[in-house]
């Protein structure tokens, strides 16, 4: 069994066009793609792929479904087998789940049916209460709220399109509405529409979560209401400016982009998505015919949301306020954009300005023009950093370079990295060679970090599985840890001889990589003290022996140390080569694409030819 959120994460990262196109060459047919059906013989293409709905259908054999069902059908595997293949493709690790008993295992199907029924019930709840909120907005109780939205320039079309409503004053209006419409207290609580006075006592009195607020329904990508966001109307109202639904069985805030169900066609037509900060900004953009605008929902922009956008485009325009918070939000967005390999540009609004206020003050044309005047992301970043620091001296230039190169190092393309190194050198008037040298140091530091290696190894699950729990690897890494900790010369050699992704991220690996990271920066002596503190703090007896009674300490014969070094590095490299060979062989068996097969066979042959040198040539 796989956890539902893991399955959803895999589907979010898999673009059905890219997956199917790797098996069957697809040709564009309007908004869709067409091919000869891979499931039956035909002369005229009748197999269609719809990237918007992330689905496929063959008009000849009537087979259809999503990306998982396609892989199941094409590869001849079951659901878990297909999910595993897709997980390897996008770098998601699937945690294993064992039922507590045979009885539990036998009731999995029944549990799944019940979970589906509960979700359907929550969808129904959100649909119906949204209509109630909308009626409240048009009622006598909602007249002040309706006047407020009219003053904000929202006409009837906008109110209907975005489903705006009003949550009544009082503590139990939603409670009573639920009773009248047949929804239980538990269902209302599960949907996040009610909360309790005492969170430590779930049985305590429940009351309305949303009270006297302008209500924004939140839709998922398929256009189903899954949550709400409630906005206060006056600055002196109690509580935060916005109250959002908590996460529920149908709502995961990091996986939702507000307005995406309306923006999908606009994104494809424009060739890019506009990422705003809030709901009113999205509504303002759509009113100005900038129909490719979306916004995160109750959270900072996430990697999962970036992969949602990747389904429709590879380009994003970040539209944030020009204040410090807006600039910081733009800077932090790169951490989510880079894994999805999205190209980013930035639009900074005026001081204290956002798309909504610009729309109201200057009209739709001004907003459209503002969105058209975007700046390439890294040029924006460099300008922002130069404004923050005095670059007339070395300290200021160093500060700018450090931040800028840290961002550039996250980009996958060597061409992109080279271009921005040249830009930095030009703007700061420093030698290009120095900039490239600094970028290499930053990149190596990231490679040595646990976060980077976890990300990289997630994309090669079979390789990691082959290396985990290997006594030979653990023994070799322990020997290398002792050598690096007690002998600077060996640590320096390991920086070159032992790439970061060759070292495991469990056991001795993380500590060894930290030593090498500090060694690479010229701080070997300092790293020793840091590692000692970490080792003592961990309470691991084996680490203590490495420090106090090492097998390869400073008093050991140099020839023995050299042999231990050569043997240990060779063992790790040989294990890595064997595991990589198994990974490539399995990939070869899993693909039907001739070009992919040819490339994989070439990699296998090259690896086999290089193995003897890999095993034995260590300086």
């Amino acid at each position: 069994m796989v956890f539902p959120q893991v399955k959803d994460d895999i589907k979010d990262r898999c673009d059905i066009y890219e997956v199917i196109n790797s098996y069957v060459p697809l040709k564009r047919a309007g908004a869709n793609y067409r091919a000869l059906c891979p499931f039956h013989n035909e002369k005229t293409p009748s197999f269609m792929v719809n990237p918007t709905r992330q689905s496929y259908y063959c008009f000849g054999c009537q087979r259809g479904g999503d990306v998982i069902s396609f892989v199941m059908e094409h590869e001849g595997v079951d659901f878990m087998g297909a999910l595993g293949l897709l997980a390897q493709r996008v770098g998601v690790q699937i945690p294993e789940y064992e039922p507590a008993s045979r009885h539990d295992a036998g009731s999995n199907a029944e549990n799944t049916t019940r979970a589906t029924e509960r979700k359907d019930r929550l969808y129904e709840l959100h649909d119906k209460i949204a209509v109630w909120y909308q009626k409240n907005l048009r009622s006598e109780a909602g007249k002040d709220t309706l006047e407020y939205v009219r003053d904000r320039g929202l006409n009837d079309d906008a109110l209907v399109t975005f489903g705006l409503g009003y949550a009544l004053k009082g503590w139990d209006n939603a409670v009573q509405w639920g009773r009248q419409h047949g929804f239980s207290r538990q269902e209302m609580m599960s949907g996040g529409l009610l909360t309790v006075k005492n969170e430590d006592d779930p049985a305590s009195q429940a009351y309305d979560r949303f009270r006297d607020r302008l209500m924004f329904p939140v839709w998922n990508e398929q256009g189903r209401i899954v949550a709400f966001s409630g906005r206060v109307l006056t600055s002196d109202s109690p509580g935060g400016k916005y109250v959002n639904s908590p996460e529920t069985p149908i709502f995961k805030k990091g996986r939702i982009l507000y307005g995406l169900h309306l923006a999908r066609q606009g994104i494809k037509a424009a060739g890019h998505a506009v990422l705003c900060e809030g709901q009113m900004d999205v509504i303002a953009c759509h009113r100005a015919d900038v129909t490719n605008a979306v916004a995160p929902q109750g959270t900072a922009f996430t990697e999962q949301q970036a992969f949602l956008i990747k389904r429709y485009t590879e380009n994003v325009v970040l539209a944030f306020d020009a204040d410090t918070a807006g600039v910081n939000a733009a800077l932090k967005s790169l951490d989510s954009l880079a894994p999805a390999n999205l190209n980013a540009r930035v639009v900074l609004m005026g001081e204290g300005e956002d798309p909504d206020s610009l729309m109201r003050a200057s009209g739709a044309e001004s907003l459209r023009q503002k969105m058209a005047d975007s700046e390439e992301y890294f040029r924006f970043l460099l300008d922002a950093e130069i404004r923050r620091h005095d670059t007339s001296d070395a300290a200021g230039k160093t500060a700018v370079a450090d931040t800028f190169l840290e961002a550039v190092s996250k980009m996958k393309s060597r061409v992109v990295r080279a271009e921005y190194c040249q830009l930095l050198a030009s703007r700061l008037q420093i030698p290009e060679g120095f900039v490239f040298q600094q970028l290499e140091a930053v990149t190596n530091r990231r490679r040595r970090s646990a976060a980077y290696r976890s990300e990289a190894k997630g994309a090669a699950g079979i390789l990691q599985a082959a290396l985990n729990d290997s006594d030979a690897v653990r023994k070799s890494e322990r020997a290398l840890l002792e050598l690096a900790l007690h002998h600077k010369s060996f640590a320096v050699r390991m920086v070159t001889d032992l790439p970061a992704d060759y070292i495991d991220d469990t056991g001795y690996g993380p500590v060894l990589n930290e030593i090498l990271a500090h060694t690479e920066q010229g701080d070997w002596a300092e790293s020793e003290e840091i590692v000692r503190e970490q080792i003592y703090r961990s309470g691991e007896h084996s680490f203590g022996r490495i420090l106090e009674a090492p097998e390869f300490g400073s008093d050991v014969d140099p020839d023995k140390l050299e042999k231990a070094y050569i043997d240990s590095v060779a063992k790790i490299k040989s294990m890595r080569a064997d595991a990589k060979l198994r990974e490539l062989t399995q990939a070869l068996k899993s693909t039907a694409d001739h070009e992919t097969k040819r490339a994989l066979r070439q990699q296998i042959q090259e690896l086999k030819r290089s193995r003897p040198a890999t095993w034995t040539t260590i300086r």
Side-chain angles (χ1 to χ4, degrees), residues 35-169:
L36 292 171
C37 181
F39 305 128
H40 79 286
N41 293 324
E42 60 177 9
K43 295 182 179 180
T44 302
S46 61
F47 180 83
M48 303 295 291
V49 175
N50 186 317
T52 300
R53 290 198 298 268
Q54 291 289 295
S55 64
Y56 69 92
Y57 184 77
C58 177
F59 291 92
C61 65
Q62 285 79 53
R63 285 186 175 90
D66 62 5
V67 67
I68 297 177
S69 61
F70 176 87
V71 174
M72 289 173 64
E73 185 83 12
H74 199 280
E75 296 285 357
V77 296
D78 62 10
F79 176 83
M80 286 303 300
L83 211 60
L85 290 172
L86 291 171
Q88 288 184 26
R89 183 186 186 99
V90 296
V92 174
Q93 294 207 3
I94 302 177
E96 294 184 358
Y97 172 80
E98 294 293 337
S101 65
R102 290 180 180 271
H103 171 75
D104 291 338
S107 63
N108 278 345
E110 181 181 350
N111 291 339
T112 300
T113 300
R114 289 177 180 173
T116 301
E117 290 174 349
R118 285 195 293 268
K119 285 186 176 182
D120 289 342
R121 185 70 170 160
L122 290 179
Y123 286 129
E124 180 185 358
L125 166 61
H126 281 75
D127 286 341
K128 290 185 175 180
I129 202 168
V131 173
W132 180 59
Y133 286 141
Q134 292 162 21
K135 289 181 178 178
N136 291 343
L137 183 62
R138 308 281 183 167
S139 70
E140 180 65 22
K143 65 179 183 179
D144 291 340
T145 306
L146 183 60
E147 182 179 350
Y148 168 83
V149 296
R150 297 290 193 210
D151 290 343
R152 298 290 295 259
L154 273 64
N155 57 22
D156 285 340
D157 286 344
L159 296 182
V160 171
T161 299
F162 289 92
L164 270 62
Y166 172 63
L168 301 171
K169 293 181 180 179

Side-chain angles (χ1 to χ4, degrees), residues 482 487 550-562:
E482 288 192 5
H487 306 275
E551 183 180 354
F552 304 107
S554 57
D555 57 345
V556 177
D557 180 73
D559 290 339
K560 181 179 179 180
L561 298 179
E562 183 69 17

Side-chain angles (χ1 to χ4, degrees), residues 1 34 78 106 142 176 219 259 275 300 302 316 490 507 565 569 583 596 610:
M1 175 180 177
R34 178 186 288 122
D78 62 10
Q176 295 181 33
W219 291 266
L275 186 68
T302 68
V316 180
F490 285 114
Y565 178 79
V569 174
E583 179 192 25
T596 304
S610 67

Side-chain angles (χ1 to χ4, degrees), residues 144-289:
D144 291 340
T145 306
L146 183 60
E147 182 179 350
Y148 168 83
V149 296
R150 297 290 193 210
D151 290 343
R152 298 290 295 259
L154 273 64
N155 57 22
D156 285 340
D157 286 344
L159 296 182
V160 171
T161 299
F162 289 92
L164 270 62
Y166 172 63
L168 301 171
K169 293 181 180 179
W171 296 88
D172 64 349
N173 292 293
V175 173
Q176 295 181 33
W177 177 91
R179 290 171 182 163
Q180 294 168 4
H181 289 79
F183 292 101
S184 68
R185 177 185 187 274
Q186 180 56 42
E187 288 173 327
M188 296 286 285
M189 289 286 296
S190 181
L193 296 164
L194 303 182
T195 187
V196 292
K197 290 187 175 180
N198 183 0
E199 294 185 357
D200 294 330
D201 180 14
S204 63
Q205 183 178 355
Y207 61 92
D208 298 0
R209 181 182 298 277
F210 302 103
R211 304 178 305 280
D212 192 23
R213 289 178 179 263
L214 175 63
M215 298 296 289
F216 297 82
V218 177
W219 291 266
N220 64 14
E221 188 184 6
Q222 289 72 40
R224 304 199 71 173
I225 299 175
V226 294
F228 291 95
S229 182
R231 189 191 194 283
V232 297
L233 304 182
T234 59
S235 58
D236 59 352
S237 299
K241 183 177 181 180
Y242 283 93
V243 168
N244 298 309
S245 294
E247 293 203 343
T248 70
I250 62 172
F251 174 55
K252 306 300 178 188
K253 61 184 180 181
R255 294 167 46 81
I256 295 290
L257 283 168
Y258 180 77
L260 181 60
H261 69 299
L262 297 173
R264 291 180 299 188
Q265 294 303 319
I267 292 171
K268 295 179 72 173
H272 68 274
V274 173
L275 186 68
C276 302
E277 290 191 271
Q279 291 104 333
M280 290 300 293
D281 294 332
V282 171
I283 294 173
C285 285
H286 280 256
R287 289 176 56 222
D289 290 329

Side-chain angles (χ1 to χ4, degrees), residues 562-582:
E562 183 69 17
K563 184 178 186 306
Y565 178 79
I566 291 176
D567 289 348
S568 297
V569 174
K571 174 58 71 176
I572 289 175
K573 286 194 170 187
S574 67
M575 293 287 289
R576 172 67 58 168
D578 286 346
K580 184 65 176 178
L581 189 60
R582 287 194 292 272

Side-chain angles (χ1 to χ4, degrees), residues 447-448 452-453 456-457 463-464 467 498-504 513 572 576:
R447 285 173 177 166
R448 294 291 178 191
Y452 178 93
R453 288 183 297 105
K457 291 191 177 185
L463 187 57
Q464 184 57 49
L467 293 174
L498 204 59
D501 58 356
Y502 275 39
I503 301 175
D504 205 348
N513 250 333
I572 289 175
R576 172 67 58 168

Side-chain angles (χ1 to χ4, degrees), residues 556-618:
V556 177
D557 180 73
D559 290 339
K560 181 179 179 180
L561 298 179
E562 183 69 17
K563 184 178 186 306
Y565 178 79
I566 291 176
D567 289 348
S568 297
V569 174
K571 174 58 71 176
I572 289 175
K573 286 194 170 187
S574 67
M575 293 287 289
R576 172 67 58 168
D578 286 346
K580 184 65 176 178
L581 189 60
R582 287 194 292 272
E583 179 192 25
L584 293 173
T585 302
Q586 179 167 322
L588 181 63
K589 294 178 180 178
S590 302
T591 184
D593 181 74
H594 294 298
E595 290 297 323
T596 304
K597 282 181 177 290
R598 183 161 50 247
L600 288 170
R601 288 192 184 101
Q602 183 177 352
Q603 291 182 57
I604 290 171
Q605 291 304 316
E606 290 176 354
L607 183 60
K608 287 181 177 179
R609 284 195 298 267
S610 67
R611 278 178 65 198
T614 303
W615 285 35
T616 59
T617 305
I618 314 293

